[in-house]
Amino acid sequence: MKPIKVMTVFGTRPEAIKMAPLVRELQRRSEFQEVTVVTAQHRQMLDQVLAIFKIQPDYDLDIMQQQQTLGQITSRVLLGLEEIIIKEKPDLVLVHGDTTTSFAASLATFYHETKLGHVEAGLRTWQKYSPYPEEMNRQMTDVLTDLYFAPTDESRANLLAEHHPAANIFVTGNTAIDALRQTVRPDYHHQVLDRIDPHHKIILVTMHRRENQGAPMKRVFQVMRQVVDQVSDVEIIFPVHLNPAVQTLAKDVLGNDPRIHLIKPLDVIDFHNLAAQAYFIMTDSGGVQEEAPSLGKPVLVLRDTTERPEGVAAGTLKLVGTQPDKVRAAMLLLLNDAATYQQMAQAKNPYGDGHAAEKICQAILTKIGRQQA
Ligand code: UD1
Ligand code: UDP
């Protein structure tokens, strides 16, 4: 049988981390011919991931601009991808999650009547602007999708509620867990730890969402600084996203404090291992909410909604939003109340067995292989 030509398209750090195990699996198996296309919606943060997983793209649209708008990302991905789809004629295009790369790539497949598979399909908050623009990116992507790879039963139920055909939905677990299986090591050390008193509690922070930029982010950073001033055995490690809106605010509010370590974005091996060594995590990231339950690390989610209810049900995630009193109270509770901490620190992984990539390949063979045979 002719190999099934599968084109993977991704552009940002989280898509790359979660597509990497799938790219590697597709490349390993003789039933597939894999074509890797990166949009480079992120440049440096994408390249970090490609280097770690040793992925050499076949095509690189190199679209990133400083402070790019959503319209610019969409149009550059759409136009760039069009030529590649026409030339390569893939049997299936795979996109991931909810970025503007994912949505624009989905639209390009529709315009060229090409089959689309959506990895991490079916996550929902059902609120148009929360998170923005991700909720609409994933809903619009799912409208155009042919094969749905849902990480959990909950995400499958969301897709069924929108009347997507059950026969095309596969519950596979999340490829984040596939990646996590390869990165965490007990003997890990990072140089930032040399600057931290080993008896201190480490809070690992990331924050980048568009709807949090500006006032919400500023008030959260102010609370973090106050808590560090108030509690003498706490230190923060914050690998700051390269978005200038985040960089400037982080330096202004959190800079020049010996117990707050603002560092460059970490590669994924460093990030997973520092997460494993942290006392707890504060984040508005999606991916980090998926990884923390496996690591048994409590997470204060700096958002009002989450599309990852599995982590809340597991007890690991607590939605605290960005209001100062709520954020401060949640931080102090985790630092001072051992029972609350223990309850949240149980390692319970709701995202599958770390073999999601294999399951996705198998589903593609079942659906597309059968048609081609
Ligand atoms: C994007 C995704 C978001 C995802 C996040 C993961 C969209 C609309 N947003 O948001 O869903 O959660 O990635 O991190 O798809 N920059 C660099 N170098 C980099 C990366 C970013 O300089 O390697 C700077 C650039 O100035 C860029 C800006 O950050 O214009 C914002 O990047 P962009 O991809 O537009 O938005 P993110 O907030 O990163
Ligand atoms: N991550 C990383 N380096 C960092 C911060 C995060 O490799 O300095 C990883 C993290 O482990 C997770 C992913 O990046 O797998 C999450 O990406 P991000 O928060 O940028 O995007 P989101 O998941 O919110 O879309």
Side-chain angles (χ1 to χ4, degrees), residues 1-5 26 29-33 362 365:
M1 193 180 89
K2 206 166 119 241
I4 302 171
K5 192 187 255 194
L26 287 163
R29 296 173 68 144
S30 59
E31 304 98 314
F32 300 103
Q33 179 190 351
Q362 207 47 51
L365 279 178

Side-chain angles (χ1 to χ4, degrees), residues 15-217:
E15 294 165 84
I17 291 170
K18 293 190 262 184
M19 285 297 258
L22 184 53
V23 169
R24 300 296 298 271
E25 184 64 13
L26 287 163
Q27 289 175 345
R28 194 182 68 75
R29 296 173 68 144
S30 59
E31 304 98 314
F32 300 103
Q33 179 190 351
E34 198 272 342
V35 180
T36 309
V37 181
V38 296
T39 65
Q41 175 180 333
H42 285 171
R43 184 71 275 173
Q44 299 89 335
M45 286 159 55
L46 171 77
D47 290 343
Q48 254 182 334
V49 184
L50 295 176
I52 290 282
F53 290 99
K54 299 189 175 54
I55 292 173
Q56 300 240 323
D58 298 293
Y59 297 91
D60 187 336
L61 300 182
D62 198 23
I63 67 155
M64 194 191 88
Q65 294 174 328
Q66 287 307 316
Q67 288 163 294
Q68 56 207 357
T69 66
L70 298 176
Q72 285 166 340
I73 304 170
T74 307
S75 53
R76 296 176 118 224
V77 171
L78 195 55
L79 292 177
L81 210 54
E82 187 154 68
E83 286 175 32
I84 303 173
I85 293 177
I86 291 168
K87 180 169 165 226
E88 291 287 344
K89 298 186 181 51
D91 298 308
L92 179 72
V93 171
L94 291 178
V95 298
H96 181 278
D98 54 20
T99 69
T100 296
T101 283
S102 321
F103 164 61
S106 307
L107 192 55
T109 65
F110 172 63
Y111 285 165
H112 293 279
E113 296 171 77
T114 302
K115 279 208 161 51
L116 176 67
H118 187 194
V119 181
E120 204 179 274
L123 278 65
R124 295 289 184 271
T125 63
W126 312 105
Q127 298 193 33
K128 188 172 178 181
Y129 290 103
S130 181
Y132 166 77
E134 290 82 5
E135 177 66 13
M136 284 299 112
N137 279 344
R138 58 192 168 224
Q139 288 198 27
M140 293 189 292
T141 299
D142 281 333
V143 168
L144 299 170
T145 293
D146 299 287
L147 295 182
Y148 300 84
F149 305 110
T152 64
D153 290 334
E154 282 91 334
S155 38
R156 178 174 186 271
N158 291 338
L159 291 165
L160 291 173
E162 291 173 354
H163 305 290
H164 299 299
N168 294 344
I169 304 172
F170 298 85
V171 177
T172 60
N174 196 309
T175 53
I177 306 302
D178 300 30
L180 205 56
R181 284 195 323 144
Q182 300 170 26
T183 51
V184 178
R185 303 178 203 130
D187 58 344
Y188 173 84
H189 188 77
H190 187 275
Q191 67 263 24
V192 72
L193 297 171
D194 298 334
R195 291 187 262 139
I196 294 180
D197 184 324
H199 301 104
H200 285 181
K201 292 174 176 151
I202 296 171
I203 305 175
L204 183 63
V205 172
T206 79
M207 200 167 182
H208 70 83
R209 299 229 88 81
R210 266 183 160 75
E211 70 270 20
N212 275 339
Q213 286 164 21
M217 201 172 272

Side-chain angles (χ1 to χ4, degrees), residues 223 226-227 230 323-333:
V223 170
Q226 287 157 9
V227 170
Q230 190 185 330
Q323 289 308 322
D325 290 350
K326 204 162 171 196
V327 175
R328 185 182 298 103
M331 289 178 78
L332 292 175
L333 189 67

